[in-house]
Amino acid sequence: MARIAYVNGEFIRLSNAAVRIEDRGYQFADGIYEVCLVINGEFWDRDGHMARMRRSLSELKINFPVSDNAIGVVIAELLRRNRLTTALVYIQISRGVSPRNHPFPNPAVEPALVMTARRFNINQSDAAAKVGASVITHPDIRWGRVDIKTVGLLPNVLAKQAAREAGAIEAWLVRDSKITEGSSSNAWIVAKDGTLITHPKNHEILGGITRDTAMACAQELQIKVEERPFTVEEACGAAEAFISSATNLIMPIVKIDSHQIGDGAPGPISLRLRGAYKKCAPGR
Ligand code: PDD
């Protein structure tokens, strides 16, 4: 069946869907995006994704007069037209189309909204979590506002490619000897005393929505969380490690570069948190 995309008010065959060449998203990466999970028709972490989308738009001063409810209606219709009930949904909003010039168009133009949906196999993700994955470390060469979810992802793309070439699932980005986050996920370690450690939510990381929910789950499970940067050395000596993102949920990490984490199998706290996340995210 042909895949269907949503482009500025229309549902179009993905293979025919196109944006204008003077779309500022295309020319300047002047736009934002979200990736969210819908499982069995239920939008996971909906409020968090919508709130972060609004924040990203506001940080870029893009005026986007479409309600969260309207976005929800489009997502439902997109899934229906693609005959999907479980999917990864991609939402991109750029500042719009205007003759190429660095300043914002004046008067403002209408933002361009594009959405796609792709099949997601949660059983495959569960199977991967039972085995665990590996990460490499890679220099964090990104700009100073990675807390905004912009489509300008070239350093992330290069880091992820380096990971792929090393047979790893993710690249953990290193700045000033500290791990900030992954190229498309947040990075966590579990100390020997069972405390979760992850980088604080500031301008050096993207505040993951999965991270927020995992944090709430940890609190419910009475697992202590410390929000502070950690070094590669500390990570290599940790009891457990994992990543969090909409595409990975909570995914145990069993190797960092050539160092095995713990006994090389997914850790019990990581797996417990993954289970808790799956229960908690559908209602949020
Ligand atoms: N990426 N950090 C970065 C740099 C990310 O790109 C992402 C998400 C996250 C985790 O955020 P969340 O838990 O809200 O998914 C952290 C998405 C999945 C992507 O670019 O495909």
Side-chain angles (χ1 to χ4, degrees):
M1 199 191 83
R3 285 178 64 200
I4 305 294
Y6 173 88
V7 184
N8 293 318
E10 286 181 89
F11 290 95
I12 305 174
R13 261 173 177 256
L14 187 76
S15 51
N16 296 332
V19 292
R20 301 272 301 273
I21 64 166
E22 287 193 316
D23 185 303
R24 290 179 62 95
Y26 177 62
Q27 291 189 323
F28 293 113
D30 187 1
I32 62 100
Y33 75 104
E34 278 296 324
V35 176
C36 9
L37 256 188
V38 176
I39 305 283
N40 296 324
E42 206 154 0
F43 191 158
W44 283 21
D45 282 329
R46 177 184 191 278
D47 292 354
H49 283 286
M50 288 297 112
R52 185 175 62 190
M53 183 183 88
R54 298 288 162 196
R55 179 181 182 272
S56 298
L57 288 165
S58 150
E59 291 297 312
L60 298 193
K61 302 186 174 72
I62 294 176
N63 181 23
F64 181 67
V66 179
S67 70
D68 290 354
N69 273 348
I71 297 276
V73 169
V74 175
I75 290 176
E77 182 60 15
L78 184 64
L79 295 183
R80 194 187 68 76
R81 289 182 186 238
N82 282 288
R83 297 196 198 144
L84 291 172
T85 53
T86 293
L88 272 172
V89 175
Y90 177 77
I91 306 169
Q92 178 175 323
I93 302 161
S94 81
R95 196 177 305 280
V97 178
S98 180
R100 186 181 182 280
N101 202 5
H102 287 64
F104 299 171
N106 187 12
V109 292
E110 232 180 273
L113 170 63
V114 170
M115 289 194 214
T116 55
R118 195 170 74 199
R119 190 175 299 284
F120 180 75
N121 189 332
I122 190 144
N123 296 328
Q124 215 171 325
S125 174
D126 286 340
K130 282 193 186 126
V131 182
S134 52
V135 298
I136 59 161
T137 55
H138 194 82
D140 189 346
I141 58 164
R142 300 174 301 162
W143 74 318
R145 289 304 307 278
V146 299
D147 56 303
I148 310 170
K149 202 162 171 61
T150 81
V151 294
L153 290 174
L154 196 47
N156 308 59
V157 166
L158 296 178
K160 184 73 92 182
Q161 181 60 23
R164 283 286 184 278
E165 286 171 12
I169 189 182
E170 181 60 298
W172 275 8
L173 305 176
V174 182
R175 170 166 300 180
D176 301 330
S177 322
K178 303 273 172 33
I179 292 164
T180 50
E181 61 177 335
S183 71
S184 65
S185 60
N186 290 115
W188 303 66
I189 56 171
V190 184
K192 295 251 159 58
D193 71 354
T195 304
L196 303 184
I197 303 163
T198 192
H199 195 286
K201 217 163 133 173
N202 59 19
H203 291 176
E204 289 181 334
I205 68 161
L206 179 79
I209 305 306
T210 317
R211 177 188 182 281
D212 288 344
T213 302
M215 203 83 90
C217 292
Q219 198 171 7
E220 219 156 274
L221 296 171
Q222 297 187 318
I223 300 170
K224 208 173 129 207
V225 183
E226 260 176 45
E227 289 181 82
R228 64 164 174 84
F230 55 87
T231 61
V232 177
E233 197 185 359
E234 188 178 6
C236 291
E240 300 181 29
F242 62 90
I243 58 173
S244 66
S245 73
T247 43
N248 287 287
L249 292 72
I250 307 285
M251 184 60 66
I253 297 302
V254 295
K255 205 167 108 188
I256 301 172
D257 294 326
S258 56
H259 300 268
Q260 178 179 293
I261 305 304
D263 60 3
I269 295 181
S270 312
L271 291 174
R272 223 171 126 216
L273 202 61
R274 182 179 169 94
Y277 175 76
K278 285 167 70 181
K279 288 206 185 95
C280 187
R284 280 167 69 100

